[in-house]
């Protein structure tokens, strides 16, 4: 088993975590990424203890601490009045409770740390400018074909190519990727543009009819990450780099508390983006012989529980353990699907439901006990959870 070559499609958070976990257990991986270079994309991510366990185990804890922020507290507030509906104590509390930190980080900083770690294990394992097109497989292995004309062969292929996964479309029955009716607005704001009062507590969500607005510190408090999620049928483009306009954003949140509007008014216009969110139905089977999927490719996740990247990290940690513990490829694949499908597909469905809780017309559906922590999601540890077929 240890000499089997594992092809990974996609160098996102899930693909890189899977690569690192597999390398940790002695496997050779080859990662193929469509982007021409490994650049800085995305904005802030909240990483909860259930994923941090994996990074601690893989030796990334200190390196991540150089750029992440641990919020001392968080709050959910009424969109109009600013009344606090829920206060959460963060700081060291999650570590004391779960044994791992809750932190907030720029996706690019996390991505950089993962790339450094993967390349330190094998400097030649990442191949950029390799957009996966299709694959063929038989009893002896799997071969992937790329848009640049190259091919790559191995014993196993893991599709970590995000919510529009071409690997998934290649091996499983055709199914639509549908627009959710939700648009994510994302911005990065230099922290010195915001007063301490506007940023208290340091992590906060305002919830209201059809819209949610969140903001929190990243990059050691130098930058504030803004994510707003709005039901907005009619505009359906998708991507990390689609620019948006401040007047449109302000208009959309015109009836929100003045704190929210103050933040929107000082956003650097060139750092405001929007993204129409897509979804796929939960996948019934994750394995097709020598091919499986991981992260958003397996379970594209709406961001209402802030668990999309977290689930990809859990998957990545667990897939390495499965290959380490199973005697052959078939059993490793079965162990991976058996260990991950119920949890990740379940969180995918719970995330959808959370939209109704945060965006109810009169906050009538809001249940403070049903956030990611209240649903018990932080209690999972991908390093120690029993593996099962
Ligand atoms: C607004 C918003 C806020 C979010 N906030 C959070 C949060 O706070 N916490 C959290 O945990 N999650 C959050 N998420 C979710 C999170 O960003 C995703 O779930 C996570 O990035 C999924 O990781 P992944 O590796 O599966 O996919 P991706 O990060 O999408 O990576 C896929 C990789 O595959 C590559 N690729 C795609 N197609 C091909 C191809 N054909 N060939 C080769 N390579 C290919 C891509 O270029 C990319 O590098 C948020 C998402 C959104 C939209």
């Amino acid at each position: 088993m240890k000499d089997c070559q594992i092809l990974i499609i996609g160098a996102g958070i899930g693909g890189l975590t899977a690569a690192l976990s597999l390398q940790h257990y002695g496997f050779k991986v080859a990662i193929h990424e469509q982007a021409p270079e490994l650049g800085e994309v995305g904005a802030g991510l909240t990483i909860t203890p259930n994923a941090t366990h994996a990074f601690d185990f893989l030796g990334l804890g200190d390196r991540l601490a150089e750029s992440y922020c641990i919020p001392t507290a968080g709050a959910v507030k009424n969109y109009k009045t600013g009344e606090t509906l829920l206060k959460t104590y963060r700081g060291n509390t999650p570590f004391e409770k779960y044994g791992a930190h809750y932190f907030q980080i720029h996706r690019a900083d996390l991505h950089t740390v993962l790339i450094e770690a993967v390349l330190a294990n094998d400097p030649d394992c990442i191949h950029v400018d390799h957009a996966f097109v299709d694959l063929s497989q038989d009893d002896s292995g799997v071969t992937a074909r790329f848009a640049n004309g190259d091919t790559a062969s191995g014993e196993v292929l893991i599709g970590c190519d995000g919510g529009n996964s071409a690997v998934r479309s290649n091996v499983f029955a055709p199914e639509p990727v549908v627009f959710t009716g939700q648009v994510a607005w994302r911005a990065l704001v230099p922290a010195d543009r915001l007063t301490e009062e506007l940023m208290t507590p340091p992590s906060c969500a305002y919830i209201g009819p059809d819209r949610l607005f969140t903001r929190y510190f990243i990059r050691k408090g130098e930058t504030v990450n803004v994510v707003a999620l709005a039901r907005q049928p009619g505009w359906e483009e998708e991507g990390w780099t689609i620019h948006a306009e401040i007047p449109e954003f302000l208009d959309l949140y015109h009836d929100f508390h003045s704190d929210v509007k103050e933040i929107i008014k000082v956003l650097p216009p060139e750092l405001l983006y929007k993204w129409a969110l897509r979804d796929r139905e939960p996948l019934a089977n994750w394995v097709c012989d020598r091919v499986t999927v991981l992260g958003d490719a397996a379970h594209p996740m709406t961001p209402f529980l802030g668990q999309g990247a977290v689930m990809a990290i859990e998957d990545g940690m667990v897939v390495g353990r499965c290959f380490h513990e199973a005697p052959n490829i078939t059993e490793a694949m079965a162990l991976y699907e058996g260990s991950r499908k119920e949890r990740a597909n379940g969180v995918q469905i719970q995330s959808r439901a959370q939209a109704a809780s945060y965006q109810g017309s009169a906050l009538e559906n809001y249940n403070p006990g049903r956030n990611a922590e209240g649903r018990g999601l932080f209690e999972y540890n991908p390093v120690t959870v029993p593996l099962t077929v």
Side-chain angles (χ1 to χ4, degrees):
M1 269 286 273
K2 284 278 152 84
D3 56 2
C4 90
Q5 164 87 359
I6 299 179
L7 304 178
I8 291 178
I9 306 298
I13 304 302
L16 292 168
T17 307
L20 201 54
S21 176
L22 286 159
Q23 287 175 332
H24 171 85
Y25 289 111
F27 292 94
K28 189 162 172 53
V29 299
I31 308 166
H32 294 85
E33 164 60 42
Q34 68 176 2
E37 55 191 45
L38 298 167
E40 173 149 329
V41 288
L45 290 174
T46 296
I47 302 297
T48 53
N50 39 317
T52 311
H53 286 299
F55 292 147
D56 291 342
F57 177 78
L58 294 168
L60 305 183
D62 290 346
R63 184 70 181 84
L64 290 169
E66 291 169 20
S67 57
Y68 69 48
C69 287
I70 294 181
T72 50
V76 175
K77 296 187 179 187
N78 178 296
Y79 77 105
K80 203 178 193 91
T81 63
E83 175 202 353
T84 298
L85 305 172
L86 173 70
K87 179 155 188 184
T88 44
Y89 294 92
R90 299 292 185 203
N92 223 30
T93 308
F95 184 81
E96 285 160 8
K97 198 165 169 192
Y98 305 106
H101 284 301
Y102 173 110
F103 65 85
Q104 293 170 321
I105 190 165
H106 195 301
R107 183 183 183 276
D109 296 341
L110 171 56
H111 199 236
T112 300
V113 171
L114 286 166
I115 287 169
E116 282 173 8
V118 166
L119 292 179
N121 290 329
D122 179 354
D124 301 317
C125 70
I126 302 182
H127 308 274
V128 293
D129 202 14
H130 276 68
F132 168 88
V133 175
D134 57 22
L135 63 82
S136 56
Q137 57 174 325
D138 58 26
D139 288 349
S140 62
V142 51
T143 298
R145 201 167 59 85
F146 301 97
N148 63 7
D150 272 3
T151 58
S153 297
E155 277 75 38
V156 172
L157 183 145
I158 308 176
C160 309
D161 50 341
N164 288 312
S165 172
V167 173
R168 174 165 167 168
S169 302
N170 249 260
V171 294
F172 298 111
E175 23 131 35
V177 184
V178 291
F179 174 50
T180 57
Q182 300 271 358
V183 173
W185 294 72
R186 311 194 68 157
L188 296 172
V189 196
D192 58 11
R193 294 190 183 190
L194 303 173
T195 62
E196 198 180 327
E197 200 183 357
L198 279 178
M199 286 305 295
T200 302
S203 177
C204 185
Y206 294 80
I207 62 170
D210 296 329
R211 288 148 303 159
L212 163 71
F213 180 96
T214 65
R215 48 67 181 167
Y216 54 81
F217 288 109
I218 53 174
R219 296 202 152 147
K220 288 288 162 216
E222 286 171 13
T223 303
V224 173
N225 182 64
V226 167
V227 181
L229 302 168
R231 283 190 220 270
Q232 267 184 292
W235 182 83
E236 301 190 12
E237 286 178 53
E238 185 186 34
W240 290 104
T241 54
I242 303 165
H243 281 284
E245 303 293 331
I246 290 179
E248 189 192 348
F249 194 15
L250 208 47
D251 193 40
L252 188 64
Y253 282 80
H254 68 278
D255 53 346
F256 268 54
H257 190 268
S258 57
D259 284 0
V260 170
K261 289 184 280 194
E262 286 307 309
I263 295 171
I264 296 176
K265 281 179 195 160
V266 300
L267 299 178
E270 70 281 8
L271 295 181
L272 175 62
Y273 299 98
K274 62 179 183 174
W275 173 352
L277 300 177
R278 313 280 174 106
D279 202 359
R280 277 172 155 175
E281 284 308 307
L283 193 56
N285 301 303
W286 284 23
V287 176
C288 174
D289 301 326
R290 293 173 176 273
V291 179
T292 188
V293 280
L294 182 151
D296 275 5
H299 39 74
M301 197 80 66
T302 55
F304 293 95
L305 286 173
Q307 291 285 302
V310 165
M311 286 300 122
I313 295 159
E314 289 185 3
D315 288 348
M317 181 66 235
V318 169
V319 81
R321 290 181 57 207
C322 292
F323 274 82
H324 176 60
E325 291 194 14
N328 57 49
I329 290 169
T330 307
E331 288 186 44
M333 297 293 242
L335 201 53
Y336 168 59
E337 175 175 321
S339 302
R340 290 298 303 159
K341 188 173 77 177
E342 188 179 335
R343 172 160 172 94
N345 284 6
V347 175
Q348 183 184 0
I349 290 163
Q350 290 179 57
S351 290
R352 289 180 184 169
Q354 191 70 5
S357 169
Y358 283 152
Q359 297 175 324
S361 56
L363 303 184
E364 71 280 9
N365 299 324
Y366 177 58
N367 178 347
R370 298 292 286 160
N371 57 13
E373 184 168 19
R375 291 170 187 266
L377 300 182
F378 295 3
E379 280 155 30
Y380 184 95
N381 183 340
V383 179
T384 57
V385 69
L387 303 177
T388 173
V389 284

